[in-house]
């Protein structure tokens, strides 16, 4: 058996006296979609931030494809093959759709000063190639959007920004995609569309695994194979949606807060 | 791929010709009333052109036919200097504008792209100048290399500052650069080997056997010696412009923008923040230092009073005024900021007040500057459909 895509053991993060993430154990197998759920403030986003090198772990260990990635710098985590979106959209609003997606494509683009300044013909070929690829990806999410690749992102409605943010994370062909509340602020219809797109993408990218933080239980039921439930930073349940939804502790956590 | 018809070139050429005619008229204006009259006429012309929609085709020519329009712009500048070929003052003005423009391209890379605040521009400009002064007085280094050395030492001195600039953020970085600028000036004033408060003299520039400080005659026409410097400054500006443009239209340009706009997101997509900030800061200081060194040779004299905090602010206000990140904006604003006070003696005394007023007005009514930066145009004329 090959190593799981992601294996967290005892991952912990304190903020002063607050234990935002308390000894989280979690596994994601290749090709799986895993839901990460729990009330507000239960540590879901923190787990992503610790994983992707934005915050250092206070304790515990994270392995990605068998390799220790605990406390790697954010850049190294991305290079290793993990890409993410943010709960509060973090696109570069004055830049175009294409520019934003190219930010996510960083590891596949030439970075040398000499190449970028003086090898214009080679750069041109790279720009044209990357453009076609980015447009194809955007087309999966929304065909009309693919004709507006040079529009500023700041002029787009929220749903399109979410789509672009997912495209930015996907363009580098990561092994693991971390989605932090991708449907926040969307209507039911839009959410359904977005989830269709995510499923389609997963079908297209060989072996892509996804961890999705989501509040919409219908979404979780529909697209995840397994979920992990957090409350006050601790894992309180794990299993298929049906299994965890049946657990008393989970019902209490949700009823108690929401 | 290019199904759309190419944008016509002629609106751009007409615009360039009109701007040149205006610039000549402006330079020719003798008294303050004529100057004000020419300015008012230009303002009205621009407003009318915008209303009638004549501005758009010209803008399109500049955007879509860029290589051709770059040549047109250089030609227009050459026509302008040809008009005043034996007249020191207008040529001095053109040389000054070109140098300020080049310095501001350096700041554009630093602040406009990477978001690195630099309120110590004068310190790096001064470093470039003093390096050039010392090297041209005490060595026989060819003057082209003297300029390069001026830029290199400015970039090197900049690396003293890069650590504090990288470690601190926002306002702190600004304060650190301001402090450094003040420190630099004090250092110059107390340093007797560098001339102290009196400053240093520089010899004439020499290039390929030409002595730049002599008037010269070509085909029976006498040219002001400033023509040498104007052409050298133009060459430098073109070079800096090309580098700035290419940088912006490359993946590095995307990375720099990402760093400026959101460091956390940039880091999460593999972009090395420190590396690119250092590259931008160093490149910017190099350009600025080399250009200002040429200016020092042109004036033949430098002193600590040329490198005050006010001088740093002027550079920053030029890029704010022109439109942060747009090289053409920097060119327009450099011309306004340099030439207006010279032609309007009334303003001269209050020039800093005027700059402050201009910047405040622009920030209030046109926060993106006179010529806002357009979206990245990776390959001019390329619009895949
Ligand atoms: N940078 C931070 N500094 C201090 N406390 C934080 C920080 N980030 C998150 N927290 C705290 O950690 C807890 C978990 O937050 P978060 O992971 O964002 O929750 P969720 O994403 O599950 O809603 C919250 O109590 C939050 O206030
Ligand atoms: Mg959250």
């Amino acid at each position: 058996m090959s190593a799981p895509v992601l294996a967290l053991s005892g991952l912990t993060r304190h903020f002063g006296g607050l234990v935002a993430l308390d000894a989280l154990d979690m596994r994601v197998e290749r090709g799986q979609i895993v839901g990460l759920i729990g009330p507000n403030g239960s540590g879901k986003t923190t787990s992503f931030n610790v994983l992707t090198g934005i915050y250092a772990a206070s304790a515990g260990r994270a392995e990605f494809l068998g390799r220790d990635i605990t406390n790697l710098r954010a850049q190294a985590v991305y290079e290793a093959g993990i890409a993410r979106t943010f709960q509060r959209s973090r696109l570069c609003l004055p830049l175009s759709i294409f520019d934003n997606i190219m930010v996510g494509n960083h590891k596949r683009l030439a970075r040398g000063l000499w190449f970028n300044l003086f090898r214009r013909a080679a750069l041109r070929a790279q720009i044209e190639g990357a453009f076609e690829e980015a447009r194809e990806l955007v087309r999966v999410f929304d065909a009309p959007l693919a004709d507006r690749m040079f529009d500023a992102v700041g002029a787009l409605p929220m749903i399109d920004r979410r789509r672009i943010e997912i495209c930015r994370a996907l363009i580098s062909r990561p092994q693991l995609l971390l989605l932090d509340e991708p449907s926040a602020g969307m209507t039911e219809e839009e959410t359904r569309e977005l989830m269709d797109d995510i499923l389609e993408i997963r079908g297209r990218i060989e072996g892509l695994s996804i961890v999705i933080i989501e509040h919409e239980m219908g979404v979780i039921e529909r697209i995840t194979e397994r979920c992990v439930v957090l409350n006050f930073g601790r894992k309180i349940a794990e299993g298929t949606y049906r299994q965890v939804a049946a657990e008393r502790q989970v019902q209490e956590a949700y009823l108690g807060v929401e | 791929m290019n199904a759309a018809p190419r944008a016509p070139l002629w609106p751009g050429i007409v615009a360039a010709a009109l701007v040149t005619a205006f610039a000549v008229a402006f330079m020719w204006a003798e008294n303050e009333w004529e100057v004000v009259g020419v300015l008012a006429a230009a303002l009205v012309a621009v407003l009318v052109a915008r209303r009638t929609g004549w501005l758009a085709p010209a803008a399109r020519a500049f955007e879509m036919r860029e290589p051709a329009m770059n040549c047109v712009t250089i030609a227009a500048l050459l026509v302008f200097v040809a008009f005043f070929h034996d007249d020191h003052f207008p040529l001095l003005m053109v040389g000054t504008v070109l140098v300020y423009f080049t310095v501001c391209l350096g700041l554009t890379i630093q602040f406009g792209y990477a978001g690195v605040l630099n309120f110590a521009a004068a310190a790096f400009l001064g470093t470039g100048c003093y390096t050039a002064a010392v090297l041209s007085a005490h060595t026989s280094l060819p003057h082209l290399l003297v300029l390069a050395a001026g830029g290199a030492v400015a970039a090197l001195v900049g690396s003293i500052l890069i650590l504090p600039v990288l470690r601190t953020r926002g306002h702190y970085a600004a304060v650190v650069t301001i402090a450094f600028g003040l420190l630099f000036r004090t250092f110059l004033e107390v340093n007797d080997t560098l001339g102290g408060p009196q400053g240093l003299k520089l010899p004439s520039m020499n290039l390929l056997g030409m002595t730049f400080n002599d008037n010269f005659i070509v085909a029976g026409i006498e040219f002001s010696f400033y023509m040498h410097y104007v052409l050298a400054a133009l060459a430098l500006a073109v070079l800096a412009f090309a580098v700035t443009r290419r940088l912006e239209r490359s993946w590095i340009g995307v990375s720099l923008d990402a760093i400026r706009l959101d460091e956390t997101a940039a880091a999460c997509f593999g972009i090395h923040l420190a590396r690119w900030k250092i590259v931008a800061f160093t490149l910017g200081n190099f350009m600025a230092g080399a250009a200002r060194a040429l200016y020092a040779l042109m004036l033949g004299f430098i002193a600590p009073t040329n490198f005050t905090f006010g001088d740093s602010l002027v550079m920053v206000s030029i890029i704010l005024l022109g439109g942060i990140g747009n090289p053409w904006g920097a060119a327009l604003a450099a011309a306004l900021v340099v030439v207006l006070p010279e032609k309007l003696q009334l303003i001269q005394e209050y020039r800093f007040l005027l700059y402050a007023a201009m910047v405040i007005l622009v920030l209030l009514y046109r926060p993106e500057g006179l010529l806002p930066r357009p979206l990245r145009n990776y390959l001019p004329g390329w619009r895949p459909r």
Side-chain angles (χ1 to χ4, degrees), chain B residues 277-301:
Chain B
K277 283 188 189 179
I278 291 171
V279 166
F281 196 61
T282 305
L283 192 61
N285 286 337
F286 179 87
M287 276 186 187
R292 186 57 174 84
L294 175 67
Y295 191 54
L297 283 162
M298 176 160 91
L299 298 183
F301 168 74

Side-chain angles (χ1 to χ4, degrees), chain A:
Chain A
M1 249 210 70
S2 62
V5 173
L6 188 68
L8 308 182
S9 47
L11 203 64
T12 303
R13 170 70 202 197
H14 304 270
F15 289 111
L18 177 81
V19 187
L21 192 64
D22 193 357
L24 177 64
D25 295 326
M26 178 173 163
R27 279 168 78 91
V28 178
E29 304 295 339
R30 188 177 142 90
Q32 257 185 354
I33 299 184
V34 174
L36 192 55
I37 58 181
N40 274 328
S42 59
K44 305 180 297 292
T45 298
T46 300
S47 74
F48 278 11
N49 286 342
V50 171
L51 250 176
T52 53
I54 292 180
Y55 298 145
S58 307
R61 183 178 164 90
E63 274 181 26
F64 175 64
L65 295 168
R67 174 181 161 204
D68 185 7
I69 58 159
T70 327
N71 294 341
L72 281 189
R73 283 153 49 87
Q75 287 88 347
V77 173
Y78 163 80
E79 297 285 343
I82 301 180
R84 67 172 291 181
T85 67
F86 298 88
Q87 180 170 357
R88 280 192 53 218
S89 168
R90 299 194 87 130
L91 291 167
C92 301
L93 298 184
L95 303 188
S96 68
I97 296 179
F98 180 51
D99 283 352
N100 270 284
I101 296 178
M102 286 306 106
V103 169
N105 210 13
H106 187 67
K107 72 176 174 188
R108 296 164 74 231
L109 303 173
R111 303 175 198 188
L113 198 57
W114 182 262
F115 181 96
N116 275 279
L117 286 182
F118 301 111
R119 304 273 319 275
R120 292 302 285 186
L123 181 65
R124 181 181 186 110
Q126 213 174 71
I127 290 170
E128 286 174 347
F131 180 81
E132 280 313 315
E133 210 179 315
R135 187 161 60 174
E136 278 315 303
L137 185 58
V138 173
R139 190 164 283 147
V140 172
F141 284 83
D142 189 55
L145 207 53
D147 293 329
R148 301 168 57 191
M149 296 291 281
F150 289 107
D151 282 11
V153 163
L156 299 177
M158 206 54 192
I159 175 167
D160 286 338
R161 294 191 196 178
R162 293 266 172 210
R163 290 168 167 151
I164 301 306
E165 222 185 336
I166 297 175
C167 290
R168 176 174 74 175
L170 280 174
I171 191 80
S172 63
R173 299 167 189 277
Q175 305 278 309
L176 177 62
L177 175 64
L178 307 176
L179 297 174
D180 197 345
E181 300 199 24
S183 75
M186 289 192 190
T187 65
E188 218 171 292
E189 176 61 29
E190 288 170 337
T191 305
R192 186 169 330 115
E193 254 179 66
L194 189 71
M195 295 308 147
D196 288 341
D197 300 335
I198 290 174
L199 287 174
E200 181 176 347
I201 284 289
R202 190 199 32 176
R204 288 189 183 204
I205 301 182
E206 170 69 19
L208 174 69
S209 314
I210 300 175
V211 179
I212 180 170
I213 296 175
E214 184 53 67
H215 273 303
E216 205 54 57
M217 286 309 137
V219 168
I220 290 290
E221 177 170 20
R222 180 171 157 224
I223 77 166
T224 66
E225 274 115 36
R226 237 159 32 79
C227 28
V228 168
V229 190
L230 297 184
N231 196 18
F232 297 113
R234 284 183 155 270
K235 181 163 81 178
I236 55 169
E238 184 171 6
T240 64
Y241 175 76
R242 275 170 199 288
Q243 286 168 344
V244 300
E247 287 206 25
R248 214 188 140 70
Q249 256 194 313
V250 175
Q251 289 166 357
E252 275 173 3
Y254 270 88
L255 290 177
V257 177
E258 294 193 6

Side-chain angles (χ1 to χ4, degrees), chain B residues 26-112:
Chain B
F26 182 79
M27 242 344 137
W28 256 331
E30 293 273 322
N31 59 49
E32 313 242 309
W33 289 115
E34 285 176 27
V35 170
V36 171
V38 173
L39 276 180
L43 197 64
V44 169
V46 169
L47 290 179
V48 167
R50 210 165 77 161
R51 258 293 150 74
T52 52
W54 292 347
L55 216 50
R60 260 178 67 77
F62 271 94
E63 186 194 344
M64 304 302 286
R65 303 294 300 274
E66 208 178 288
M69 283 315 297
N70 287 346
C71 296
V72 169
T73 307
I74 292 173
L77 191 74
L78 291 177
V79 167
F80 178 82
V81 295
F83 261 100
F84 298 103
H85 61 275
D86 56 357
D87 201 347
H88 291 333
F89 177 74
L91 295 184
L92 175 63
M93 284 296 99
V94 173
T96 308
V97 170
L98 285 170
V99 166
Y100 272 53
F101 170 52
T102 311
V103 170
C104 289
L105 288 177
L107 284 191
T108 296
I109 293 176
Q110 296 178 337
F111 180 59

Side-chain angles (χ1 to χ4, degrees), chain B residues 304-324:
Chain B
T305 46
N306 301 138
F307 308 108
T308 62
F309 180 55
D311 293 279
S312 299
L313 274 189
V314 168
M315 297 302 168
V316 174
S317 55
I318 288 176
I319 62 171
L320 285 179
L321 188 64
I324 297 169

